[in-house]
Amino acid sequence: MTTSAVLARPTRAARVSLAAGTTTFAAALAGCETAYRLAGALWGAVCFAALFLALVQVAAFAGRRKGTRPELAALVIAASMVPLDRLLVLSVPAVSYLRLYPNALWVVPMGLTAVYAYRSWWLPGARPKLVPGPGWAPLAGQAAMVVAGAELGVFAAYILPHPGPHVLLHQDTAKWAGAALFALAGAAEELAWRGALQRVAADAAGPLGAVACFAASAYVAVAWMGPGAAVPVIVFSGLATVVVYRTRCLAGAVAGHALLNMLLVMLR
Amino acid sequence: MTHLLAAGPLRLRDIAPVDFVPIAVLLVLLMEREVIRARLGRARTVPQRVIDFAVFPLMILFLLFVGLRAYTMLGGPL
């Protein structure tokens, strides 16, 4: 039986240092995002790359230094997925073949990193299951998440204006590749944020860690999709945070987010 | 050699500067990985796992980038 780091070391100093670290991290992300908005994609990518490198150095240093809490390195490297996500979105080569979403290739490295992080046994915390447990109650909870994702996807497609012709009117098959990658982005993000980052953050800071993880995923959604399109995704992320934290099961969150993204891109 | 480079066989001039940012980060991390491995040996310690975790997505992005360049140079439409 594993003991939570919160229960093992409930010191006030540790909580204060976690809060200070989270605030510094948020301020650094805000600075990078400001650089991107003011100076363009190149300088934004440079800033996110510098932040990513700095976090890797801090994690490696924390792992090397004796007397440091062992879960600190894992927490920092899991948090580094946030600037990594932004770096990939800004610097991935655009492929015009993917008509609905030419920059969708960032999903490939981010998705594989999410799988890598989810399966990393050295990251602390209880790993959420991908399949719900036996019985109707766990299955019903996950099914409710999928239904919520579908409803929010339809809602998002309804509220977002789309200037061009309807997506379903395109006669080529290339649109399906872009749409599939867009849907995969939702699944990859749930695996990264709820499957890896939330597990490490909740182990280090309890429910506050889960809240911080939700804030990180909300920030990524707003930065990626814009504030209007991100609202349904943020609502779904909030639901997924609670459900995964309570049930320790990822199936509904992954399937629901993929469905949300798919409906968002196909129905508008 | 000058003539060959002027012909732009790799079409490096067509690449946006932002494409080089993750490659630069990857180079830094690979160098650091070698330094750590030389110092700590082949046994996987926490710093090595951390560096491997950071190298993994950037290596995939690099391979995607190289694959796309090779595909377009061979005449594939994108």
Side-chain angles (χ1 to χ4, degrees):
Chain A
M1 182 181 146
T2 55
T3 308
S4 165
V6 178
L7 298 175
R9 271 180 284 269
T11 57
R12 187 170 178 274
R15 284 199 300 270
V16 170
S17 74
L18 271 177
T22 308
T23 309
T24 309
F25 179 56
L29 279 176
C32 294
E33 202 60 44
T34 307
Y36 165 54
R37 303 291 167 188
L38 293 179
L42 174 62
W43 289 107
V46 168
C47 290
F48 282 114
L51 178 58
F52 175 65
L53 261 181
L55 288 173
V56 172
Q57 301 307 319
V58 170
F61 179 72
R64 202 164 40 226
R65 191 173 166 215
K66 287 187 173 57
T68 311
R69 296 167 68 197
E71 63 270 17
L72 185 62
L75 180 61
V76 174
I77 196 64
S80 76
M81 285 194 294
V82 179
L84 173 71
D85 184 291
R86 295 295 294 139
L87 173 64
L88 292 175
V89 169
L90 292 181
S91 63
V92 79
V95 179
S96 56
Y97 172 78
L98 306 167
R99 304 205 201 308
L100 288 181
Y101 185 27
N103 291 324
L105 278 184
W106 70 269
V107 174
V108 179
M110 192 62 205
L112 290 174
T113 306
V115 173
Y116 184 96
Y118 174 74
R119 294 186 60 84
S120 292
W121 57 268
W122 56 277
L123 291 180
R127 189 167 67 178
K129 294 173 292 183
L130 275 177
V131 181
W136 284 104
L139 199 62
Q142 302 305 311
M145 284 297 294
V146 177
V147 172
E151 287 181 359
L152 285 167
V154 173
F155 175 67
Y158 177 74
I159 61 169
L160 284 178
H162 184 57
H166 196 280
V167 168
L168 297 176
L169 292 179
H170 291 290
Q171 292 301 313
D172 57 336
T173 54
K175 68 180 181 189
W176 299 111
L181 281 174
F182 193 76
L184 199 63
E189 292 203 330
E190 286 306 319
L191 203 58
W193 309 140
R194 248 61 67 185
L197 181 56
Q198 179 169 308
R199 129 191 177 203
V200 180
D203 187 71
L208 278 180
V211 171
C213 178
F214 161 69
S217 63
Y219 153 71
V220 168
V222 171
W224 174 39
M225 310 171 94
V231 170
V233 176
I234 292 172
V235 172
F236 185 82
S237 295
L239 285 173
T241 300
V242 175
V243 169
V244 173
Y245 186 76
R246 299 282 297 177
T247 64
R248 307 262 183 222
C249 182
L250 270 175
V254 169
H257 202 149
L259 194 59
L260 190 160
N261 279 14
M262 176 67 91
L263 291 174
L264 165 64
V265 81
M266 297 304 295
L267 292 186
R268 64 184 182 148
Chain B
M1 187 68 181
T2 310
H3 175 72
L4 182 67
L5 288 176
L10 297 177
R11 296 183 194 169
L12 288 177
R13 288 177 189 172
D14 300 341
I15 300 174
V18 71
D19 293 337
F20 289 106
V21 175
I23 297 174
V25 177
L26 177 63
L27 282 176
V28 171
L29 288 172
L30 286 176
M31 277 195 297
E32 192 175 352
R33 185 172 184 272
E34 288 308 307
V35 169
I36 289 178
R37 207 167 71 165
R39 194 186 305 155
L40 301 177
R42 283 185 173 274
R44 298 244 299 164
T45 56
V46 173
Q48 280 168 313
R49 290 199 180 99
V50 163
I51 299 289
D52 285 348
F53 187 95
V55 162
F56 181 70
L58 298 173
M59 184 62 83
I60 292 169
L61 182 64
F62 176 70
L63 292 175
L64 262 179
F65 184 74
V66 171
L68 282 174
R69 295 297 297 177
Y71 180 68
T72 50
M73 280 170 61
L74 290 173
L78 274 181

